[in-house]
Amino acid sequence: MQIESVPQTFIWVNSLPLSNKGEPHTQEHLLITKGNKGRDLNTTEGMSLAFSNAFTSQAYTAYNFNTAAGGTVFYKLFEEYLDALLHPDYTDEEVHREVCNWGVAEDAATKQLKIEEKGSVYNEMKTGMNNPYAQVYDHMGRLLYGTTHPLSYNAGGNPADIRILNAADIKHFHDLNYHLGNMGAITALPKTMPLAAVLKETDQLLNRLQPKEEQKVYSNQIPAPNAAP
């Protein structure tokens, strides 16, 4: 018996870091989980027999998903996914809570309340940078490229620098990187989805998401580290 393949796509965004604050990694967290669009996307996935994942590398951020619900659902999910990436609506407070903030926790041994640093991105990178291999890789980048090169910055974020990452930094990073001209996708579709129809549907949804009259002209100049937006 032949098993029909399911529609799937791998989307990437060229997203070189601007500092050691972890802008690419933080942006990944926010876009697909926060704001009404991020939460709606997760709800849609749950109703679409979909599986998704995302990760941040040094030079790009990747988002991928597939669905067993067929072509019509794939197009809907694809458009909703890109809309969340291109036009996020998370709040400044959501940025603050996702990045790094202070919270109250109970000491497991003494049961006493204490103040500790929280935030999904901060906690993830604090644990990750305790790994000796991560420390070696981080140091190698600076040895190879110096201290102010995009390939030497920590794309995930150094814990000390994550503490000063704010909503303005994230908005500036998104404006620089998240537009269709700086993105790409590799899509694999079953034979039941004809190529001509796929190209037509994709063209229409891309133009709905970023009409030509709304496209921006982006500078190819990388801002200096810690420069104001």
Side-chain angles (χ1 to χ4, degrees), residues 97-143:
R97 291 182 178 275
E98 189 72 12
V99 177
C100 186
N101 59 87
W102 292 100
V104 178
E106 183 180 79
D107 188 284
T110 65
K111 304 300 180 183
Q112 296 293 313
L113 297 181
K114 61 179 181 179
I115 300 294
E116 68 176 18
E117 288 177 299
K118 295 186 175 182
S120 298
V121 177
Y122 176 82
N123 288 337
E124 180 182 337
M125 292 309 300
K126 184 179 179 181
T127 300
M129 291 308 296
N130 284 332
N131 184 310
Y133 294 102
Q135 295 176 21
V136 169
Y137 182 83
D138 186 53
H139 191 60
M140 282 175 56
R142 290 190 292 276
L143 290 176

Short mmCIF file of all heavy atoms in Angstrom, two decimals, residues 97-143:
data_model
loop_
_atom_site.label_atom_id
_atom_site.label_comp_id
_atom_site.label_asym_id
_atom_site.label_seq_id
_atom_site.Cartn_x
_atom_site.Cartn_y
_atom_site.Cartn_z
N ARG A 97 8.06 39.60 29.83
CA ARG A 97 7.90 38.34 30.56
C ARG A 97 8.59 37.17 29.86
O ARG A 97 9.07 36.24 30.52
CB ARG A 97 6.42 38.03 30.77
CG ARG A 97 5.73 38.99 31.73
CD ARG A 97 4.27 38.63 31.95
NE ARG A 97 3.66 39.53 32.91
CZ ARG A 97 3.72 39.36 34.23
NH1 ARG A 97 4.37 38.33 34.74
NH2 ARG A 97 3.14 40.22 35.04
N GLU A 98 8.64 37.20 28.55
CA GLU A 98 9.28 36.10 27.82
C GLU A 98 10.80 36.18 27.91
O GLU A 98 11.49 35.17 27.93
CB GLU A 98 8.85 36.13 26.35
CG GLU A 98 9.28 34.92 25.54
CD GLU A 98 8.52 33.66 25.89
OE1 GLU A 98 7.49 33.74 26.60
OE2 GLU A 98 8.96 32.58 25.45
N VAL A 99 11.33 37.41 27.97
CA VAL A 99 12.78 37.60 27.94
C VAL A 99 13.38 37.39 29.32
O VAL A 99 14.03 36.39 29.60
CB VAL A 99 13.13 39.00 27.40
CG1 VAL A 99 14.64 39.22 27.44
CG2 VAL A 99 12.64 39.15 25.97
N CYS A 100 13.19 38.34 30.21
CA CYS A 100 13.77 38.24 31.56
C CYS A 100 13.03 39.18 32.50
O CYS A 100 12.80 40.34 32.16
CB CYS A 100 15.25 38.59 31.53
SG CYS A 100 16.11 38.36 33.11
N ASN A 101 12.63 38.69 33.65
CA ASN A 101 11.93 39.51 34.63
C ASN A 101 12.14 38.91 36.01
O ASN A 101 12.68 37.82 36.16
CB ASN A 101 10.44 39.60 34.29
CG ASN A 101 9.77 38.23 34.25
OD1 ASN A 101 9.31 37.71 35.27
ND2 ASN A 101 9.73 37.62 33.06
N TRP A 102 11.68 39.63 37.01
CA TRP A 102 11.79 39.15 38.39
C TRP A 102 10.46 38.54 38.82
O TRP A 102 9.40 39.05 38.49
CB TRP A 102 12.15 40.30 39.33
CG TRP A 102 13.52 40.84 39.11
CD1 TRP A 102 13.87 41.97 38.42
CD2 TRP A 102 14.74 40.27 39.57
NE1 TRP A 102 15.22 42.13 38.40
CE2 TRP A 102 15.79 41.11 39.11
CE3 TRP A 102 15.07 39.14 40.32
CZ2 TRP A 102 17.13 40.85 39.38
CZ3 TRP A 102 16.41 38.88 40.59
CH2 TRP A 102 17.42 39.72 40.12
N GLY A 103 10.56 37.44 39.57
CA GLY A 103 9.36 36.77 40.06
C GLY A 103 9.59 36.16 41.43
O GLY A 103 10.73 36.06 41.91
N VAL A 104 8.51 35.76 42.06
CA VAL A 104 8.57 35.14 43.38
C VAL A 104 8.54 33.62 43.22
O VAL A 104 7.73 33.08 42.47
CB VAL A 104 7.39 35.60 44.27
CG1 VAL A 104 7.44 34.92 45.63
CG2 VAL A 104 7.41 37.12 44.42
N ALA A 105 9.42 32.93 43.93
CA ALA A 105 9.47 31.47 43.89
C ALA A 105 9.67 30.94 45.30
O ALA A 105 10.12 31.66 46.20
CB ALA A 105 10.59 31.00 42.98
N GLU A 106 9.32 29.69 45.49
CA GLU A 106 9.47 29.04 46.79
C GLU A 106 10.71 28.17 46.79
O GLU A 106 10.92 27.37 45.89
CB GLU A 106 8.24 28.20 47.11
CG GLU A 106 8.30 27.54 48.49
CD GLU A 106 7.06 26.70 48.77
OE1 GLU A 106 7.01 25.56 48.25
OE2 GLU A 106 6.17 27.18 49.48
N ASP A 107 11.55 28.34 47.81
CA ASP A 107 12.74 27.50 47.94
C ASP A 107 12.31 26.08 48.28
O ASP A 107 11.58 25.86 49.25
CB ASP A 107 13.66 28.06 49.04
CG ASP A 107 14.98 27.34 49.09
OD1 ASP A 107 15.02 26.20 49.59
OD2 ASP A 107 15.98 27.91 48.61
N ALA A 108 12.75 25.12 47.48
CA ALA A 108 12.32 23.74 47.67
C ALA A 108 12.75 23.17 49.01
O ALA A 108 12.05 22.33 49.60
CB ALA A 108 12.87 22.87 46.54
N ALA A 109 13.89 23.60 49.53
CA ALA A 109 14.41 23.05 50.78
C ALA A 109 13.81 23.71 52.01
O ALA A 109 13.37 23.04 52.95
CB ALA A 109 15.94 23.18 50.81
N THR A 110 13.76 25.04 52.00
CA THR A 110 13.32 25.77 53.20
C THR A 110 11.86 26.19 53.15
O THR A 110 11.30 26.61 54.16
CB THR A 110 14.17 27.03 53.37
OG1 THR A 110 13.93 27.92 52.28
CG2 THR A 110 15.66 26.67 53.42
N LYS A 111 11.23 26.12 51.98
CA LYS A 111 9.85 26.57 51.77
C LYS A 111 9.70 28.08 51.94
O LYS A 111 8.58 28.59 52.01
CB LYS A 111 8.89 25.85 52.72
CG LYS A 111 8.94 24.34 52.63
CD LYS A 111 8.59 23.84 51.24
CE LYS A 111 8.63 22.32 51.17
NZ LYS A 111 8.37 21.81 49.79
N GLN A 112 10.81 28.78 51.97
CA GLN A 112 10.76 30.24 52.08
C GLN A 112 10.62 30.86 50.69
O GLN A 112 11.12 30.32 49.70
CB GLN A 112 12.05 30.75 52.74
CG GLN A 112 12.26 30.29 54.18
CD GLN A 112 11.23 30.89 55.11
OE1 GLN A 112 10.97 32.10 55.08
NE2 GLN A 112 10.64 30.06 55.95
N LEU A 113 9.91 31.99 50.64
CA LEU A 113 9.76 32.69 49.38
C LEU A 113 11.03 33.47 49.06
O LEU A 113 11.69 34.00 49.96
CB LEU A 113 8.56 33.64 49.44
CG LEU A 113 7.19 32.99 49.63
CD1 LEU A 113 6.11 34.05 49.65
CD2 LEU A 113 6.90 31.96 48.55
N LYS A 114 11.34 33.54 47.80
CA LYS A 114 12.53 34.27 47.37
C LYS A 114 12.27 34.94 46.02
O LYS A 114 11.33 34.58 45.30
CB LYS A 114 13.74 33.33 47.26
CG LYS A 114 13.55 32.22 46.24
CD LYS A 114 14.78 31.33 46.16
CE LYS A 114 14.60 30.23 45.10
NZ LYS A 114 15.79 29.38 44.98
N ILE A 115 13.10 35.92 45.70
CA ILE A 115 13.02 36.61 44.43
C ILE A 115 14.05 35.98 43.48
O ILE A 115 15.20 35.77 43.85
CB ILE A 115 13.32 38.12 44.57
CG1 ILE A 115 12.32 38.78 45.53
CG2 ILE A 115 13.30 38.80 43.21
CD1 ILE A 115 10.90 38.78 45.01
N GLU A 116 13.60 35.64 42.27
CA GLU A 116 14.53 35.07 41.30
C GLU A 116 14.21 35.58 39.89
O GLU A 116 13.11 36.06 39.62
CB GLU A 116 14.48 33.54 41.32
CG GLU A 116 13.19 32.94 40.81
CD GLU A 116 13.24 31.42 40.77
OE1 GLU A 116 14.12 30.83 41.45
OE2 GLU A 116 12.42 30.82 40.06
N GLU A 117 15.20 35.47 39.04
CA GLU A 117 15.02 35.88 37.65
C GLU A 117 14.25 34.81 36.89
O GLU A 117 14.51 33.62 37.04
CB GLU A 117 16.38 36.11 37.00
CG GLU A 117 17.08 37.35 37.49
CD GLU A 117 18.46 37.52 36.88
OE1 GLU A 117 19.30 36.65 37.09
OE2 GLU A 117 18.67 38.55 36.20
N LYS A 118 13.30 35.28 36.08
CA LYS A 118 12.49 34.37 35.29
C LYS A 118 12.47 34.85 33.84
O LYS A 118 13.04 35.88 33.50
CB LYS A 118 11.07 34.29 35.84
CG LYS A 118 10.97 33.67 37.23
CD LYS A 118 9.52 33.50 37.64
CE LYS A 118 9.42 32.76 38.97
NZ LYS A 118 8.01 32.53 39.36
N GLY A 119 11.79 34.09 33.00
CA GLY A 119 11.72 34.41 31.58
C GLY A 119 12.17 33.21 30.78
O GLY A 119 13.24 32.64 31.04
N SER A 120 11.38 32.80 29.80
CA SER A 120 11.67 31.58 29.05
C SER A 120 13.01 31.64 28.34
O SER A 120 13.80 30.69 28.38
CB SER A 120 10.56 31.32 28.02
OG SER A 120 9.32 31.12 28.64
N VAL A 121 13.30 32.77 27.70
CA VAL A 121 14.55 32.88 26.95
C VAL A 121 15.74 32.90 27.91
O VAL A 121 16.74 32.19 27.71
CB VAL A 121 14.55 34.15 26.08
CG1 VAL A 121 15.89 34.33 25.37
CG2 VAL A 121 13.42 34.10 25.07
N TYR A 122 15.63 33.69 28.98
CA TYR A 122 16.72 33.77 29.95
C TYR A 122 17.00 32.41 30.58
O TYR A 122 18.16 31.98 30.66
CB TYR A 122 16.37 34.79 31.04
CG TYR A 122 17.41 34.87 32.14
CD1 TYR A 122 18.56 35.63 31.96
CD2 TYR A 122 17.24 34.19 33.34
CE1 TYR A 122 19.53 35.70 32.95
CE2 TYR A 122 18.20 34.24 34.33
CZ TYR A 122 19.34 35.00 34.14
OH TYR A 122 20.30 35.05 35.12
N ASN A 123 15.96 31.73 31.04
CA ASN A 123 16.15 30.44 31.70
C ASN A 123 16.75 29.40 30.75
O ASN A 123 17.61 28.60 31.14
CB ASN A 123 14.82 29.93 32.26
CG ASN A 123 14.37 30.70 33.48
OD1 ASN A 123 15.18 31.31 34.17
ND2 ASN A 123 13.08 30.69 33.75
N GLU A 124 16.27 29.41 29.50
CA GLU A 124 16.80 28.45 28.52
C GLU A 124 18.29 28.68 28.27
O GLU A 124 19.08 27.73 28.24
CB GLU A 124 16.02 28.57 27.21
CG GLU A 124 16.49 27.62 26.13
CD GLU A 124 15.75 27.78 24.82
OE1 GLU A 124 14.60 28.28 24.84
OE2 GLU A 124 16.31 27.40 23.77
N MET A 125 18.67 29.94 28.09
CA MET A 125 20.07 30.22 27.77
C MET A 125 20.97 30.14 29.00
O MET A 125 22.15 29.81 28.88
CB MET A 125 20.18 31.61 27.11
CG MET A 125 19.54 31.66 25.73
SD MET A 125 20.10 30.34 24.62
CE MET A 125 21.87 30.66 24.53
N LYS A 126 20.44 30.42 30.17
CA LYS A 126 21.24 30.26 31.39
C LYS A 126 21.64 28.80 31.55
O LYS A 126 22.78 28.47 31.88
CB LYS A 126 20.45 30.73 32.61
CG LYS A 126 21.25 30.67 33.91
CD LYS A 126 20.42 31.18 35.08
CE LYS A 126 21.23 31.11 36.37
NZ LYS A 126 20.42 31.57 37.53
N THR A 127 20.68 27.90 31.29
CA THR A 127 20.99 26.46 31.36
C THR A 127 21.90 26.05 30.21
O THR A 127 22.88 25.33 30.40
CB THR A 127 19.68 25.64 31.29
OG1 THR A 127 18.84 26.00 32.37
CG2 THR A 127 19.97 24.15 31.35
N GLY A 128 21.58 26.53 29.00
CA GLY A 128 22.36 26.15 27.82
C GLY A 128 23.80 26.60 27.89
O GLY A 128 24.72 25.85 27.51
N MET A 129 24.05 27.81 28.40
CA MET A 129 25.42 28.32 28.44
C MET A 129 26.24 27.73 29.58
O MET A 129 27.44 28.00 29.68
CB MET A 129 25.40 29.86 28.54
CG MET A 129 24.90 30.55 27.27
SD MET A 129 25.76 30.01 25.76
CE MET A 129 27.43 30.57 26.09
N ASN A 130 25.62 26.91 30.41
CA ASN A 130 26.39 26.15 31.40
C ASN A 130 27.04 24.92 30.78
O ASN A 130 27.91 24.30 31.38
CB ASN A 130 25.49 25.72 32.56
CG ASN A 130 25.18 26.85 33.51
OD1 ASN A 130 25.97 27.79 33.65
ND2 ASN A 130 24.03 26.79 34.17
N ASN A 131 26.61 24.59 29.56
CA ASN A 131 27.18 23.46 28.85
C ASN A 131 28.57 23.84 28.34
O ASN A 131 28.72 24.84 27.64
CB ASN A 131 26.27 23.10 27.67
CG ASN A 131 26.73 21.87 26.93
OD1 ASN A 131 27.89 21.75 26.56
ND2 ASN A 131 25.80 20.94 26.69
N PRO A 132 29.61 23.07 28.67
CA PRO A 132 30.97 23.44 28.23
C PRO A 132 31.12 23.52 26.72
O PRO A 132 31.90 24.33 26.21
CB PRO A 132 31.85 22.34 28.83
CG PRO A 132 30.92 21.21 29.16
CD PRO A 132 29.62 21.85 29.48
N TYR A 133 30.39 22.69 25.96
CA TYR A 133 30.49 22.75 24.51
C TYR A 133 29.91 24.05 23.97
O TYR A 133 30.43 24.62 23.00
CB TYR A 133 29.76 21.55 23.89
CG TYR A 133 30.39 20.23 24.22
CD1 TYR A 133 29.86 19.39 25.19
CD2 TYR A 133 31.56 19.82 23.56
CE1 TYR A 133 30.45 18.17 25.50
CE2 TYR A 133 32.15 18.60 23.86
CZ TYR A 133 31.60 17.78 24.83
OH TYR A 133 32.19 16.59 25.14
N ALA A 134 28.83 24.53 24.59
CA ALA A 134 28.25 25.81 24.18
C ALA A 134 29.22 26.95 24.46
O ALA A 134 29.34 27.89 23.67
CB ALA A 134 26.93 26.04 24.91
N GLN A 135 29.92 26.87 25.57
CA GLN A 135 30.90 27.90 25.91
C GLN A 135 32.06 27.92 24.92
O GLN A 135 32.53 28.99 24.50
CB GLN A 135 31.40 27.68 27.33
CG GLN A 135 30.34 27.85 28.40
CD GLN A 135 30.86 27.53 29.80
OE1 GLN A 135 32.06 27.56 30.04
NE2 GLN A 135 29.94 27.21 30.71
N VAL A 136 32.52 26.73 24.53
CA VAL A 136 33.61 26.65 23.55
C VAL A 136 33.17 27.22 22.21
O VAL A 136 33.89 28.01 21.59
CB VAL A 136 34.07 25.18 23.38
CG1 VAL A 136 35.02 25.05 22.18
CG2 VAL A 136 34.77 24.69 24.64
N TYR A 137 31.96 26.85 21.75
CA TYR A 137 31.45 27.34 20.47
C TYR A 137 31.31 28.86 20.51
O TYR A 137 31.65 29.55 19.55
CB TYR A 137 30.11 26.68 20.17
CG TYR A 137 29.50 27.09 18.85
CD1 TYR A 137 29.89 26.48 17.66
CD2 TYR A 137 28.55 28.11 18.79
CE1 TYR A 137 29.35 26.86 16.45
CE2 TYR A 137 28.00 28.49 17.58
CZ TYR A 137 28.41 27.87 16.41
OH TYR A 137 27.86 28.26 15.21
N ASP A 138 30.81 29.38 21.62
CA ASP A 138 30.62 30.82 21.77
C ASP A 138 31.96 31.54 21.70
O ASP A 138 32.09 32.59 21.05
CB ASP A 138 29.92 31.09 23.11
CG ASP A 138 29.54 32.55 23.28
OD1 ASP A 138 28.88 33.10 22.38
OD2 ASP A 138 29.89 33.14 24.32
N HIS A 139 32.97 30.98 22.33
CA HIS A 139 34.30 31.60 22.35
C HIS A 139 34.96 31.50 20.98
O HIS A 139 35.65 32.43 20.54
CB HIS A 139 35.17 30.92 23.41
CG HIS A 139 36.46 31.63 23.69
ND1 HIS A 139 36.51 32.93 24.16
CD2 HIS A 139 37.75 31.24 23.54
CE1 HIS A 139 37.77 33.31 24.30
NE2 HIS A 139 38.54 32.29 23.92
N MET A 140 34.72 30.40 20.27
CA MET A 140 35.32 30.22 18.95
C MET A 140 34.87 31.31 17.98
O MET A 140 35.66 31.79 17.16
CB MET A 140 34.94 28.85 18.38
CG MET A 140 35.74 27.70 18.96
SD MET A 140 35.15 26.10 18.35
CE MET A 140 35.28 26.33 16.57
N GLY A 141 33.61 31.70 18.07
CA GLY A 141 33.11 32.75 17.19
C GLY A 141 33.88 34.04 17.33
O GLY A 141 34.20 34.71 16.34
N ARG A 142 34.19 34.41 18.55
CA ARG A 142 34.93 35.65 18.79
C ARG A 142 36.38 35.53 18.34
O ARG A 142 36.98 36.49 17.86
CB ARG A 142 34.84 36.04 20.26
CG ARG A 142 33.45 36.49 20.68
CD ARG A 142 33.44 37.10 22.07
NE ARG A 142 33.71 36.13 23.10
CZ ARG A 142 32.78 35.33 23.63
NH1 ARG A 142 31.53 35.40 23.19
NH2 ARG A 142 33.09 34.48 24.58
N LEU A 143 36.97 34.33 18.49
CA LEU A 143 38.34 34.12 18.02
C LEU A 143 38.43 34.21 16.50
O LEU A 143 39.40 34.73 15.94
CB LEU A 143 38.85 32.74 18.48
CG LEU A 143 39.12 32.58 19.98
CD1 LEU A 143 39.52 31.13 20.29
CD2 LEU A 143 40.22 33.53 20.45
#
